[in-house]
Amino acid sequence: MLTMLFKSRLFSGESRNPERLALRLAALDSGVRRRTKKSERGFTLVELMVVIFIIGLLATIVVINVLPSQDKAMTEKARSDIATLSQALEMYRLDNLAYPGTAEGLNALVTAPPTLAQPGRYRSGGYIKKLPQDPWGRPYQYVSPGTTGAFDLYSLGADGAPGGEAENADITADGA
């Protein structure tokens, strides 16, 4: 209704020539339709490519900054697990007067070993709920007596082989 009022005022002087009025109305309607179609068309390929390029740059920056942090986090988790297992081994020693042997291994912290001299001294429920795996999915290594103390408790690092440097280095805790 508003457009009809606008058109009637715009072309009030042309009411004497109906052909000319019809041509002007048709031109006005086609211009409106063209603008509507153009705005509904969507994004161009260039606009989409620019957005995809920007997302790719942001993803690259995030990956470059996050991956080194993951290696450090895995190493710190291994150190934390080793400290927890060392404390559990110390509690085991206080209750049973000796560290578990290499044959019993870290499983002695979860369930009482059958070779225990006094099974009544073993804590009900064990010393830890379950044995953790190192961050790379392998079991922690335990040897008693150790080469540098009462026990050796370590992870072989990211490569799973003795020795190494950086994230491949062994992560150890020396028993007292």
Side-chain angles (χ1 to χ4, degrees):
M1 178 161 164
L2 191 61
T3 56
M4 291 300 288
L5 181 64
F6 173 72
K7 289 178 184 177
S8 66
R9 291 208 179 193
L10 183 67
F11 302 115
S12 62
E14 298 190 9
S15 60
R16 293 181 294 251
N17 189 348
E19 290 176 13
R20 195 166 187 188
L21 178 63
L23 284 174
R24 289 201 87 176
L25 287 174
L28 183 63
D29 285 341
S30 68
V32 170
R33 276 194 220 119
R34 261 189 252 131
R35 266 185 260 128
T36 305
K37 285 183 182 178
K38 194 172 188 179
S39 66
E40 291 177 2
R41 207 168 29 178
F43 298 108
T44 64
L45 181 61
V46 173
E47 291 169 334
L48 288 174
M49 293 301 291
V50 166
V51 169
I52 290 171
F53 179 75
I54 291 170
I55 291 172
L57 279 176
L58 292 173
T60 302
I61 290 169
V62 168
V63 166
I64 288 171
N65 290 325
V66 169
L67 284 181
S69 299
Q70 183 182 7
D71 294 338
K72 290 177 188 174
M74 292 175 89
T75 301
E76 288 303 313
K77 182 191 180 311
R79 287 176 206 236
S80 174
D81 286 348
I82 288 173
T84 301
L85 290 171
S86 295
Q87 289 174 352
L89 285 165
E90 191 61 34
M91 288 188 290
Y92 180 95
R93 184 189 65 82
L94 291 172
D95 288 346
N96 299 294
L97 307 176
Y99 291 108
T102 303
E104 290 129 4
L106 294 174
N107 289 326
L109 299 175
V110 180
T111 58
T115 59
L116 212 57
Q118 296 178 352
R121 298 186 73 155
Y122 190 87
R123 284 189 188 180
S124 63
Y127 296 89
I128 57 174
K129 290 185 181 184
K130 71 175 203 168
L131 282 177
Q133 297 268 324
D134 73 3
W136 301 277
R138 294 182 294 275
Y140 287 100
Q141 306 297 309
Y142 173 75
V143 178
S144 178
T147 56
T148 59
F151 63 87
D152 288 342
L153 179 60
Y154 58 96
S155 169
L156 295 173
D159 63 352
E165 295 179 7
E167 71 268 357
N168 293 331
D170 296 347
I171 301 160
T172 64
D174 298 324

